[in-house]
Every structure is written in C-alpha cells, then in structure tokens.
Amino acid sequence: MTQPLHLGLLGAMPEEIGTDLSHLKDLRCSDHGDLTIHRGSWGDNVHLSLAWSGWGKVSAARAATRLLASDPSIDLLVFTGVAGAADQTLHQWDVVLADAVVQHDMDARPLFPRFTLPALNQDRLKPQPAWFHWAKTALLEAHETGELDGFERPSSGLIATGDSFIGDPAVLQALRDALPDLRAVEMEGAAVAQVAEQEGVPWLVLRVISDGADEAAAQSFEDFVRRYEQQAWRLIEALLQRCDDTPQ
Ligand code: ADE
C-alpha cells in the first residue's frame, strides 16, 4: 500500500477548480480571515487541501503560504486555472503544464537582471523534474483514453505571471520579444511557485487556455470561464486517477 498523496490545490476563482466539491469525502473547512481552506479525501489514496486564492500575485502568495502552513504533510502544491495564449498556436481548451514559470513584472534592474527574483537569485522557476514528468505523462494518458474529452492535447512550456490581465496585442508582443519561448500568461502561477520553492515543497502550474491575450481577451475569458466551471474538476481528476505513480 502506497502512502496517500496529500495534494494542495489552489485556483484563483471557484470556476477554475469547480464549486461542486461533492466528489470529496469527509469534507470540512476552516476559515483564515477571508480565505477558506477545504479539506477532504478523494478515493482511498488522496487527501486534498484546497482554496480559491483570488486574483493576482499577492493573493496567490498569501493563499499558498496559508495552505502550506496549515498542514505540513502537503506533498505537492498545484495551481490550476485558465490562461491567455502567448503562443499563437494555442487556442481555447488547450492544456498547458508549466515546465518553467517567470514573473514577467519583476524588474529590479540595475541591481538584478530583468525577471530575476532577488529572494532566489533566479528568473525562471522549474518544477521538480520527477513531478513534472508524472503530471505530463498522466495528462497525456488521460487525453489518449478520452478522459479529457473536450480539452485539447496537453503540452508544456513557459508560463509568465504578472499583475495585469493582458488584452493588448502590443503588450503581449513586448512580452514575447522579451521571452521568445513564452506560451501563456496568467496572474498567479509564478508567485505560488516562488512560495513553494521557498517553503521547500514541490509545485506544478497547470493551465487551460481561455483567450488570446488580445483585444477580445476580456470577452473570451468571461465566456470561457462560465463554461469551464463544469469541466475544471475533470482535469484535476486526470491527475488524481494516477496518484499511485507519484514520485513521492
Ligand atoms: N488569465 C486568463 N487570461 C489572461 C490574460 N489574458 N492575461 C492575464 N491572465 C489571464
């Protein structure tokens, strides 16, 4: 019998995980100021601690810190939700697992190079290879078996985080110029990754494309999120179904 996996799960908005938590057993919750942490189990081998952080880096970092401090047994912290496409080959419903994240608005020049996080003296943060490969394999397998019907084939790449909703092609192009391998933009992932790194906990950032980070982004985002709420849990479940193969 393998050790149960304790997954810490965060999303910015309820729609990004799904508000129906009835698939969890022994559900209980605790309030920490305005943050509610929900705990429960899934199947026989997964414990979950989850919360909706709110938008942006500060809210995400605060929720990650609270979640990790609330239970030292969390094995892996996953931030999930939607993202804008920076790579023009990506479209709505494409799944992107970050192989690296960067805070695109971190700029302490001339003291540190652009994007470098002074606390870690690093610009890009990468998930631990064993956890990344587990998640990528799990998602591809789930896609092949049809469990991710409706989602597009999962891929991986660089995701950039910053405190702006990108809906201006010129702003997006400037980010692409600075980060040529950029695939998606969002507002929380790299902040959570930084907290997890500093706390010594493995992390993953898993996103689904909701918009093109262009003039139509706000409308596409709103339409998408409404539909996504019913589907979000299936993406999480694709990972949970494969928790017996985790690298812990
Ligand atoms: N999350 C989803 N779409 C986004 C966008 N266009 N910019 C920033 N974060 C996002």
Side-chain angles (χ1 to χ4, degrees):
M1 177 87 175
T2 50
Q3 275 276 100
L5 170 72
H6 188 166
L7 178 68
L9 183 63
L10 290 170
M13 302 159 66
E15 295 89 333
E16 291 175 290
I17 292 175
T19 45
D20 176 10
L21 300 180
S22 59
H23 25 254
L24 300 182
K25 288 183 299 191
D26 306 323
L27 198 60
R28 60 212 180 273
C29 58
S30 55
D31 291 329
H32 308 264
D34 65 357
L35 186 81
T36 302
I37 298 178
H38 304 264
R39 294 181 206 284
S41 11
W42 185 92
D44 296 328
N45 238 353
V46 183
H47 296 315
L48 268 157
S49 294
L50 73 87
W52 298 299
S53 64
W55 290 32
K57 293 192 300 172
V58 173
S59 290
R62 176 277 190 130
T65 307
R66 261 296 183 188
L67 195 70
L68 293 179
S70 74
D71 194 328
S73 71
I74 291 175
D75 298 301
L76 171 73
L77 182 58
V78 173
F79 197 98
T80 191
V82 302
D87 173 341
Q88 282 163 334
T89 66
L90 291 175
H91 301 99
Q92 281 187 334
W93 295 104
D94 276 318
V95 177
V96 182
L97 178 67
D99 65 11
V101 293
V102 63
Q103 292 177 30
H104 67 71
D105 50 4
M106 173 54 78
D107 192 347
R109 286 177 292 178
L111 301 172
F112 290 87
R114 187 174 180 196
F115 306 129
T116 293
L117 303 169
L120 297 170
N121 203 19
Q122 244 178 295
D123 51 7
R124 296 177 181 214
L125 302 180
K126 295 186 176 184
Q128 287 184 9
W131 282 103
F132 172 79
H133 288 301
W134 163 72
K136 187 149 188 201
T137 306
L139 292 168
L140 287 172
E141 216 178 83
H143 179 73
E144 260 146 49
T145 60
E147 288 158 68
L148 288 179
D149 184 34
F151 290 84
E152 295 299 328
R153 192 171 192 279
S155 66
S156 53
L158 176 65
I159 295 182
T161 302
D163 278 321
S164 10
F165 183 84
I166 311 278
D168 177 343
V171 173
L172 182 61
Q173 190 52 48
L175 281 178
R176 281 202 205 104
D177 292 344
L179 299 163
D181 54 339
L182 183 60
R183 301 210 73 215
V185 289
E186 40 86 311
M187 299 177 67
E188 296 85 17
V192 168
Q194 179 180 341
V195 170
E197 288 282 327
Q198 290 181 289
E199 294 287 324
V201 175
W203 57 271
L204 295 169
V205 174
L206 176 61
R207 293 287 188 174
V208 177
I209 299 299
S210 57
D211 59 83
D214 53 10
E215 301 97 330
Q219 189 64 56
S220 308
F221 170 87
E222 285 186 339
D223 296 344
F224 186 84
V225 162
R226 221 169 292 130
R227 283 182 289 148
Y228 187 59
E229 179 172 3
Q230 313 306 320
Q231 311 302 328
W233 185 254
R234 289 203 291 128
L235 189 61
I236 312 300
E237 229 167 30
L239 296 178
L240 300 184
Q241 292 282 8
R242 289 158 179 86
C243 68
D244 289 342
D245 302 329
T246 57
Q248 58 174 327

